[in-house]
Amino acid sequence: KFYTVAWLPDLRVRATYGYSGNMDPSQTAQTIIAYLGNSPYTGSPIAIVTGFYNPDLRWEKTRMMNFGVDFKAMTGRISGSIEYYRKKSTDLFGAVPIDYTAGLNVMTITKNVASITGSGWDVVLNTINIQQKNFRWQTNINFNANKDAIDEYYSTTNATNLVLGFGVAGIKGRPVTGVYSYPWAGLNPATGDPMGYLDGQVSSNYNLLTGSSLTFDQIRYNGPVFPTVFGSLGNTFSWKQLSLSVVLLYKFGHYFKRPSVNYGSLIATANGHADYLNRWQKPGDELTTNVPSFTYPNPSGNRDAFYLNAETLVEKGDNIRIQYVNISYEILRRNKTSFPFQSINIYAVANNLGIIWRANKYKIDPDFYNAVSPPAKSISLGFRITF
């Protein structure tokens, strides 16, 4: 539903409310069997169960409310909108382990397992900063703030799986997807082995530090995976028929784990990492590095697993980048009486020009920290003809 709450020549206040439901078509209150044909061995018909009897399954439900204001001032020199939204989803589907003796040949079944709430602000501001006969400067600002939180979660979540980034967090009050890590206690000054905390005590027992028996209190929550504040800033400068546009993108409030050296992979495949040069080699190095010592043979795969998911490798994802630069020149018919077209716009666009600021000190692109190489810069030329 859409409501216009108030209307003035330069101001409009609006509100919307929506409600929807969704059902997984593969899950019903009746068992569904799919016929697959005949067995090549016995010639008898064969079938599999594709939908399992689940009479408690309910529709997913979503309610959403929006409140917005559109405004304009100074005869259009300033315009924009401000919008607040809130979304509540209940009875969300999730995979829940079932008794393997049920004979269904599957390990999970879909049930209603969660409720989440999301809210945020969308702000758009357009300004004409300078308006002269031959020169014009326009600015466009987009600001978005968003957060989500789990209200209820009826399934089970393994703390170690959260650290490894598998599945939904399942912790009330936390985002649906977050960055979790093992607590870091530095390097052993005698051996260079990584150390963590177990029940408040320094430990190098990697089987326990990374084991399935860990509880949520024994791991660190670092922050959300996705930005909580993001948007763009664009400026367009025009002089006569020549125009230049520059758009910056910004993202704040999220985290990632930077890659580092994996000694097991290094030994097995010779796939290394530059952090190898900064590894602990002698007592005292633990004061200047957090990269563990290299030992051969590799003492334990869990040693690598602990280090690669430890708190010391968590970095802020905040960054500002140049998304694109566009320069164009427009030839108009009014200036060329014999010109056969109404206008021709000739343009050049440069994309993916790179980061101009990032929060981490390792010069890592947070948007592509696991990629072999970030997207290449591109430059394109073209023209548009209006008849």
Side-chain angles (χ1 to χ4, degrees):
K1 296 182 179 181
F2 176 83
Y3 306 93
T4 298
V5 180
W7 174 265
L8 296 171
D10 294 329
L11 179 68
R12 181 178 69 168
V13 180
R14 49 190 166 76
T16 61
Y17 171 80
Y19 175 86
S20 64
N22 177 58
M23 175 62 77
D24 183 350
S26 68
Q27 303 292 332
T28 68
Q30 302 295 328
T31 300
I32 300 175
I33 298 177
Y35 174 65
L36 299 182
N38 294 327
S39 168
Y41 307 105
T42 65
S44 302
I46 57 175
I48 62 171
V49 177
T50 59
F52 306 110
Y53 175 66
N54 188 3
D56 297 325
L57 194 66
R58 301 180 300 277
W59 286 59
E60 290 185 331
K61 305 177 188 70
T62 299
R63 294 178 176 86
M64 186 167 183
M65 293 186 297
N66 295 65
F67 299 94
V69 176
D70 302 317
F71 60 89
K72 183 170 60 175
M74 298 178 63
T75 64
R77 295 287 292 268
I78 299 176
S79 63
S81 63
I82 301 174
E83 183 168 350
Y84 173 79
Y85 59 88
R86 185 175 181 84
K87 185 176 182 180
K88 173 78 171 182
S89 297
T90 58
D91 291 331
L92 298 179
F93 297 140
V96 177
I98 61 173
D99 187 352
Y100 66 89
T101 62
L104 297 178
N105 197 33
V106 295
M107 300 302 295
T108 61
I109 189 171
T110 299
K111 290 187 177 181
N112 303 99
V113 299
S115 299
I116 63 173
T117 299
S119 61
W121 293 86
D122 292 335
V123 179
V124 176
L125 179 63
N126 305 301
T127 64
I128 301 175
N129 307 311
I130 298 178
Q131 177 73 64
Q132 297 179 348
K133 181 179 180 180
N134 293 322
F135 180 74
R136 180 185 176 98
W137 172 24
Q138 298 173 254
T139 297
N140 173 265
I141 300 173
N142 284 277
F143 172 84
N144 303 272
N146 174 272
K147 66 177 182 179
D148 64 87
I150 295 175
D151 299 323
E152 300 290 343
Y153 194 75
Y154 309 108
S155 186
T156 57
T157 301
N158 183 290
T160 296
N161 284 344
L162 292 188
V163 173
L164 299 178
F166 299 150
V168 175
I171 303 177
K172 292 177 62 174
R174 296 278 172 80
V176 175
T177 53
V179 176
Y180 295 83
S181 61
Y182 299 124
W184 178 255
L187 298 178
N188 187 312
T191 63
D193 288 329
M195 299 184 299
Y197 288 102
L198 197 62
D199 296 328
Q201 302 297 318
V202 175
S203 173
S204 294
N205 188 331
Y206 306 118
N207 291 331
L208 293 179
L209 289 171
T210 63
S212 59
S213 62
L214 284 179
T215 64
F216 298 142
D217 294 336
Q218 293 175 311
I219 62 175
R220 292 276 194 270
Y221 168 67
N222 303 105
V225 169
F226 300 108
T228 56
V229 174
F230 55 94
S232 64
L233 170 63
N235 283 283
T236 300
F237 305 91
S238 303
W239 182 72
K240 295 184 178 181
Q241 282 75 53
L242 184 65
S243 177
L244 172 66
S245 297
V246 180
V247 175
L248 305 180
L249 297 184
Y250 61 87
K251 299 178 183 179
F252 303 116
H254 59 304
Y255 294 80
F256 70 99
K257 291 176 189 170
R258 61 181 173 88
S260 188
V261 61
N262 184 330
Y263 290 125
S265 176
L266 177 63
I267 293 171
T269 66
N271 182 17
H273 190 278
D275 280 355
Y276 179 81
L277 299 175
N278 299 322
R279 70 193 185 280
W280 185 99
Q281 299 182 65
K282 62 183 185 303
D285 288 350
E286 70 279 357
L287 301 177
T288 58
T289 184
N290 278 330
V291 182
S293 58
F294 173 63
T295 59
Y296 184 84
N298 199 32
S300 168
N302 289 335
R303 181 180 189 259
D304 287 331
F306 170 75
Y307 167 64
L308 293 173
N309 291 283
E311 190 176 16
T312 187
L313 295 181
V314 175
E315 302 290 341
K316 287 186 175 181
D318 301 1
N319 69 89
I320 302 173
R321 68 178 66 239
I322 302 177
Q323 181 62 15
Y324 73 84
V325 175
N326 178 35
I327 185 169
S328 64
Y329 184 79
E330 189 172 34
I331 304 173
L332 303 175
R333 176 183 288 173
R334 68 172 182 264
N335 296 336
K336 305 287 183 179
T337 55
S338 60
F339 198 54
F341 311 111
Q342 182 176 338
S343 67
I344 294 181
N345 186 283
I346 304 170
Y347 62 86
V349 181
N351 286 297
N352 299 323
L353 297 182
I355 289 180
I356 58 177
W357 176 84
R358 73 201 87 192
N360 75 83
K361 63 182 181 181
Y362 298 95
K363 298 183 178 180
I364 299 173
D365 188 331
D367 291 343
F368 306 99
Y369 63 91
N370 268 330
V372 176
S373 60
K377 299 178 178 65
S378 66
I379 298 177
S380 58
L381 306 174
F383 63 88
R384 289 188 296 268
I385 298 176
T386 303
F387 293 93

